[in-house]
Amino acid sequence: MSTVHDVDTSVGSGIPSYRFEPITGTIRTFDSPQDVIASIDEDVESMVALVNSGGTTFLSPILGRLAGIIACDGTLRSHLAIVSREFEVPCLVGATVNSALTDGDTVRLDYVDGGRGTVTVVTDTPAAGETAPPSAIDVDVEVEKWWSYIRRVGDDIAVKEFDVTVTDDVLSALIAQPLTDSRLDDLVQHMGRTFKPEMTRRSGFTSELFPMMPYMSLSTIEDFHTYAQRVRIIESAMPAEEIGARLRERAGIASPLWNWMSGYHYLTGRQCLIQMGLLKPTDRTDEIRTVIDFWRRLALAQRGDGTLDNKDAGFTHRYLPSEEVNPLIELATPLRASDTKALKRLNATVTGYLFLHFTDSRVGIYDSGPYPAGAGQVAIVRDLLCLQPSDFAYPWAEGLHGPYASLSLVLKFDPKSFESFEINDWGTTFTEPDQFLSEVTAVAVVGTTSSGDRVQIEPDDWPALSADVSRIHGELYQRFADMNREERIFAATTMYSWGLKPFAAVAGVVDDIDWSISSDTLALYPDPLGDDGSAGTIFGTAVVANDLPGSFSPVL
């Protein structure tokens, strides 16, 4: 007797409007309002609607009854994505589907880790004997699709569908690929298109304490002057992909923001030098290849899903493996109303201290997730780093000791509480409504000691922890207040220009690298980079107010 097997054929993918369980339904194309009206009395509960637009009103008479929706247009901010999430109707927006997909096909919609959704045609096929194996992934095809993704232009904020199936074999092949001149240029242009709109969306570069334009310009230019040599020393001890793999093993080792900045800040420094007429776009290509290839392999290995930044992954970052994040989520207990104020105070107190510690930057605070947490809930893990001296300690924090080396806040919530949710490329969560902590339903506060042990900190102890951090905050503030303007500029420049230190620490070569600011960078201070206006003009016209399609000039 023959048996029946499912033979699955992948025919498309898109951006899921929320994290949904797999659903199966029958494709029906809707091209006009008449198509929708004609289906009102039909069994639309088994239909997967295929539409062009990301608007809501077109499907509104049947939207809440559909099995699923595939929209060939739209983003996570489209009305269709928002309303489908409210109805809990699985929906893929910005989708690309194979032209062979026709009405009547049975398809399965799947949510895939990394913020992608896939469309698969499911066919019942009789087979005699052995079960037909699933279709094998063609590694070469997926690698080329990855590069096609890199070359593609996204929407107005550079979001584009990540439509690559990334298995372990595909990831290994991507990491092993040599970075030719053309691929290097593709990456630089992709990064420029990603960076420019994100810079325009972020808060202004102002600080009452730290002259931000001088130190941002100096530090990124310092990155360009020093990173190639420092990267070579690090990679002589441990390749970028091994460092990335180690960093994803455990929350709180180092902020993934350092990974992101190792490429983007370096290219920003290059662009500032081009703007100043001190560098040609085609200069020092081999050095640029060294750094960008390090960044590429580091990001691929640390993220593990084929994406390079949070925007690629639909403004998510689920880098922690289940064996690491699930035990953390299991520690979360329901948040009592009486403890909400103490949680908010703890979060604000530690966040405020870390902004000061990192000279008004976000490097010490990083959200990852959202991770599935059961019962329709999800969780983010908020790492609060560098609360004790370490290999990465700054001189201005010498002798300042918090009770823990780092904290991890595990924050569970119902994703339906928000109309929109994103973790941007700086690792900062933005929601609408914007009071994220008010919607947290369960929480765990976990401290990591200097020896690496983890301790769960109970709500009754949160106020004392806040008081400890407030104490060292006050001491650090006085140290910065006692500095003159130039000392603050170079403290902040040091902060950013030590961006490779976390990776050197993993590789065990911190002491093999000269971390002092180079003479090439010092030659640009105080003229022109000591002046707020001059530095701001150079920085802004280099990466934002230029006539390029992105922030960065081609290398070819």
Side-chain angles (χ1 to χ4, degrees):
M1 177 179 178
S2 64
T3 56
V4 175
H5 306 279
D6 286 342
V7 177
D8 297 352
T9 303
S10 178
V11 294
S13 61
I15 304 168
S17 61
Y18 69 101
R19 181 181 289 267
F20 56 79
E21 296 297 320
I23 64 97
T24 301
T26 304
I27 284 290
R28 170 74 71 87
T29 303
F30 292 89
D31 292 320
S32 69
Q34 287 70 32
D35 293 337
V36 176
I37 292 170
S39 70
I40 288 177
D41 294 327
E42 296 184 40
D43 176 23
V44 298
E45 285 80 2
S46 61
M47 287 183 189
V48 174
L50 178 61
V51 297
N52 286 319
S53 171
T56 301
T57 53
F58 177 51
L59 289 176
S60 59
I62 60 173
L63 193 152
R65 296 164 48 207
L66 290 165
I69 305 169
I70 303 169
C72 298
D73 194 5
T75 71
L76 287 177
R77 287 176 168 79
S78 299
H79 292 173
L80 181 59
I82 295 169
V83 176
S84 67
R85 183 166 58 245
E86 296 299 319
F87 275 115
E88 296 187 347
V89 174
C91 176
L92 304 181
V93 292
T96 301
V97 294
N98 192 305
S99 60
L101 184 65
T102 60
D103 283 5
D105 285 344
T106 299
V107 297
R108 186 179 69 247
L109 305 187
D110 292 282
Y111 181 97
V112 181
D113 281 344
R116 297 185 300 114
T118 58
V119 184
T120 306
V121 171
V122 181
T123 306
D124 289 342
T125 303
E130 296 183 358
T131 302
S135 299
I137 295 294
D138 189 320
V139 172
D140 292 339
V141 168
E142 297 304 321
V143 167
E144 183 50 41
K145 284 173 62 179
W146 190 87
W147 284 105
S148 295
Y149 171 82
I150 292 299
R151 300 181 193 106
R152 195 181 313 148
V153 176
D155 63 14
D156 58 343
I157 60 169
V159 172
K160 51 190 179 181
E161 178 200 1
F162 187 77
D163 55 355
V164 187
T165 302
V166 180
T167 62
D168 289 345
D169 288 342
V170 172
L171 189 65
S172 296
L174 285 170
I175 289 171
Q177 273 196 313
L179 196 58
T180 62
D181 285 352
S182 61
R183 288 173 184 159
L184 172 61
D185 194 56
D186 288 338
L187 272 178
V188 169
Q189 292 308 294
H190 164 79
M191 294 168 73
R193 291 190 297 267
T194 292
F195 192 64
K196 193 172 189 176
E198 202 62 24
M199 290 294 284
T200 63
R201 296 205 308 160
R202 67 155 288 162
S203 58
F205 292 98
T206 59
S207 170
E208 295 297 325
L209 198 57
F210 302 99
M212 291 194 74
M213 283 293 91
Y215 94 69
M216 286 291 295
S217 301
L218 282 165
S219 63
T220 55
I221 288 172
E222 172 68 359
D223 291 350
F224 186 79
H225 284 150
T226 62
Y227 266 25
Q229 180 182 4
R230 292 174 179 176
V231 161
R232 290 179 183 126
I233 294 172
I234 292 169
E235 288 228 78
S236 68
M238 185 179 293
E241 54 268 33
E242 184 175 342
I243 295 171
R246 292 193 182 191
L247 290 175
R248 77 187 304 255
E249 292 175 354
R250 186 176 171 91
I253 298 177
S255 173
L257 184 52
W258 289 122
N259 304 25
W260 183 83
M261 292 192 306
S262 66
Y264 286 93
H265 276 205
Y266 174 82
L267 290 179
T268 297
R270 168 180 176 259
Q271 202 65 33
C272 286
L273 290 170
I274 291 171
Q275 176 66 26
M276 297 167 72
L278 300 176
L279 189 75
K280 295 178 182 178
T282 53
D283 287 348
R284 299 167 74 166
T285 301
D286 284 341
E287 290 186 10
I288 297 169
R289 189 192 331 276
T290 294
V291 176
I292 298 306
D293 194 37
F294 177 85
W295 165 79
R296 174 186 73 97
R297 289 179 287 117
L298 182 72
L300 286 170
Q302 190 265 348
R303 299 182 70 91
D305 61 0
T307 64
L308 292 172
D309 51 44
N310 291 5
K311 187 177 290 184
D312 282 347
F315 290 104
T316 66
H317 192 183
R318 302 182 185 93
Y319 79 98
L320 293 174
S322 57
E323 57 267 25
E324 164 67 2
V325 74
N326 288 346
L328 289 174
I329 292 174
E330 289 172 4
L331 294 175
T333 57
L335 180 63
R336 300 175 299 188
S338 58
D339 294 326
T340 300
K341 183 176 181 180
L343 175 65
K344 291 181 177 180
R345 174 60 62 88
L346 175 64
N347 179 74
T349 299
V350 181
T351 297
Y353 168 74
L354 290 173
F355 267 100
L356 180 66
H357 180 96
F358 288 96
T359 65
D360 255 336
S361 79
R362 317 181 195 193
V363 181
I365 310 111
Y366 195 91
D367 292 350
S368 70
Y371 302 99
Q377 300 268 301
V378 296
I380 67 168
V381 177
R382 174 166 296 169
D383 283 327
L384 305 167
L385 304 162
C386 293
L387 298 172
Q388 287 182 345
S390 66
D391 287 337
F392 195 59
Y394 297 114
W396 52 85
E398 185 177 351
L400 297 183
H401 296 268
Y404 299 97
S406 65
L407 298 175
S408 293
L409 275 55
V410 184
L411 305 167
K412 289 178 62 174
F413 60 96
D414 184 344
K416 294 192 295 294
S417 299
F418 302 105
E419 296 174 16
S420 63
F421 179 98
E422 74 172 53
I423 301 175
N424 73 358
D425 285 333
W426 279 274
T428 304
T429 296
F430 290 96
T431 63
E432 182 61 43
D434 59 7
Q435 294 298 316
F436 172 68
L437 288 180
S438 296
E439 301 300 329
V440 169
T441 59
V443 64
V445 178
V446 180
T448 299
T449 67
S450 57
S451 62
D453 296 327
R454 280 178 168 165
V455 178
Q456 184 167 7
I457 305 165
E458 299 299 333
D460 289 346
D461 296 322
W462 294 348
L465 179 55
S466 296
D468 280 337
V469 176
S470 291
R471 173 184 55 80
I472 61 173
H473 187 149
E475 294 180 22
L476 181 58
Y477 190 91
Q478 185 63 57
R479 294 181 185 185
F480 280 128
D482 290 340
M483 292 181 183
N484 61 34
R485 172 185 167 87
E486 182 173 293
E487 288 171 333
R488 293 176 195 166
I489 288 174
F490 280 99
T493 301
T494 296
M495 182 278 299
Y496 267 142
S497 65
W498 283 8
L500 294 178
K501 259 197 174 183
F503 316 127
V506 173
V509 292
V510 170
D511 294 336
D512 296 340
I513 295 174
D514 179 3
W515 299 101
S516 59
I517 298 173
S518 68
S519 58
D520 288 339
T521 301
L522 291 174
L524 302 175
Y525 181 89
D527 183 21
L529 298 183
D531 179 74
D532 291 340
S534 297
T537 298
I538 290 168
F539 190 92
T541 53
V543 297
V544 178
N546 61 33
D547 58 0
L548 299 168
S551 286
F552 307 131
S553 295
V555 297
L556 297 180

